[in-house]
Amino acid sequence: MSEETENMWGPWTVPAGAPELEDVIYERRTRNAGGSVARITINRPEKLNAMTKRTMKELMVAVDAANNDDSVGVVVLQGAGDRAFSSGGDVEWEGDRSRADWFFDVPPNHTVRFSLKPVIAAVRGYAIGGGNHLAYTCDLTIAADNAVFGQIGSRVGSPADGYMVRYLIRVIGAKRAREMWLTRRRISAQEALDWGLINKVVPLAELDAAVLDMASDILDGSPTCVRILKAVFDQEIDEMAGDVRRTAYLTSPTFVGSEEAREAQLAFKEKRSPRFWPIPVEV
């Protein structure tokens, strides 16, 4: 981080009264000119910051803490370490989820929607599956040059529907969104920038400074105006939010626990290609 940027900010600290969390770290950093940034870190680096139900719940708790801190004007969301922002849902955990868990749990994207402050995704390494759509539903996304983006759900038997899929059309357009979701091709940080998936790509060593510089630009604005703008932009999501998991439940209510789903999850664990064809038939 440049000395100029460093001198503009105090240190990262855990504020008094911060929630006690296991999968998530909550910190705050205050700008010398006024205003603070809350940093929420998914702290499961040994699992490439894959998320479980506890992780998703703790993300919401951390966002609530930022919402109720009047000094905070911006939220930064990141993953621990340099290898991954988040690799999505923890496949081992997903394999044990019940049908009710699959269809009626709140998705991690609500972390962004329920934030009253703008959220900047700081992406290092992999942003795959749920990690990818968590990043692209953030208000702004800055990626290190080692970032890799993509979807994987149809390969590992993890169905996604609702605004987490549809919102990508608003970000990069229908053709690119379909390509990303249907082919599962991974794209580099530079390609993500060319597609409009992210706002900026910087060298890995410069990511923290770039995020703080963007946060500082936001903090220079009227907090009330920024909050109103955030709410207006989020109305795009509100128009779609009611359909989360509805399509999956109405079209394929027995998918969870099926032979097709089990084959996808087993293949992932065994590090082999899944054998989907012919489609397994339940007997």
Side-chain angles (χ1 to χ4, degrees):
M1 186 178 298
S2 70
E3 184 176 348
E4 180 182 0
T5 300
E6 189 71 36
N7 290 338
M8 290 177 57
W9 297 83
W12 287 108
T13 61
V14 177
E20 295 184 7
L21 307 170
E22 294 185 48
D23 288 358
V24 170
I25 300 171
Y26 181 84
E27 302 167 284
R28 186 179 66 192
R29 191 168 191 177
T30 300
R31 191 176 63 154
N32 296 338
S36 299
V37 170
R39 185 168 69 180
I40 299 171
T41 303
I42 303 170
N43 190 33
R44 303 187 77 226
E46 74 286 354
K47 293 285 189 177
L48 294 179
N49 298 316
M51 294 175 282
T52 68
K53 187 172 185 176
R54 181 174 67 192
T55 315
M56 291 185 278
K57 178 181 178 181
E58 290 187 355
L59 285 172
M60 293 292 292
V61 171
V63 164
D64 182 66
N67 283 343
N68 287 284
D69 186 338
D70 291 337
S71 76
V72 170
V74 179
V75 175
V76 173
L77 183 60
Q78 67 174 19
D82 294 338
R83 295 181 62 203
F85 173 76
S86 173
S87 58
D90 188 313
V91 175
E92 293 184 10
W93 165 70
E94 288 190 347
D96 294 331
R97 295 168 79 183
S98 68
R99 192 169 298 163
D101 286 334
W102 266 104
F103 291 119
F104 305 121
D105 269 357
V106 175
N109 311 69
H110 278 54
T111 299
V112 178
R113 178 58 194 97
F114 282 91
S115 174
L116 303 179
K117 324 288 175 74
V119 182
I120 302 174
V123 180
R124 300 172 179 82
Y126 293 110
I128 303 296
N132 181 41
H133 50 80
L134 180 59
Y136 69 64
T137 52
C138 286
D139 299 283
L140 300 159
T141 304
I142 303 178
D145 53 9
N146 75 332
V148 178
F149 300 85
Q151 292 304 139
I152 196 174
S154 63
R155 184 70 175 251
V156 297
S158 179
D161 72 346
Y163 78 83
M164 67 186 75
V165 179
R166 296 173 60 205
Y167 189 68
L168 187 59
I169 296 172
R170 307 290 179 98
V171 179
I172 62 174
K175 293 296 185 180
R176 289 299 192 190
R178 290 168 192 251
E179 180 180 349
M180 174 165 275
W181 276 92
L182 295 176
T183 71
R184 304 172 307 279
R185 184 170 70 84
R186 297 182 181 185
I187 65 172
S188 67
Q190 184 58 52
E191 194 170 6
L193 182 65
D194 294 341
W195 282 20
L197 185 68
I198 64 177
N199 297 90
K200 189 174 185 179
V201 56
V202 298
L204 176 61
E206 299 176 15
L207 181 61
D208 288 336
V211 169
L212 287 177
D213 286 344
M214 183 171 283
S216 188
D217 288 342
I218 296 171
L219 291 173
D220 284 340
S222 157
T224 299
C225 290
V226 169
R227 182 167 175 162
I228 292 170
L229 286 169
K230 160 77 172 166
V232 171
F233 287 127
D234 282 343
Q235 287 173 2
E236 289 283 335
I237 293 178
D238 289 340
E239 293 172 1
M240 306 176 186
D243 67 359
V244 173
R245 302 295 191 207
R246 183 175 64 189
T247 302
Y249 188 71
L250 293 178
T251 60
S252 305
T254 62
F255 175 75
V256 175
S258 67
E259 287 298 321
E260 182 181 346
R262 284 194 287 269
E263 166 60 15
Q265 292 152 5
L266 184 62
F268 179 83
K269 294 176 182 178
E270 295 178 351
K271 300 185 183 340
R272 61 172 174 82
S273 297
R275 295 183 286 269
F276 289 131
W277 302 96
I279 297 175
V281 177
E282 295 287 339
V283 294

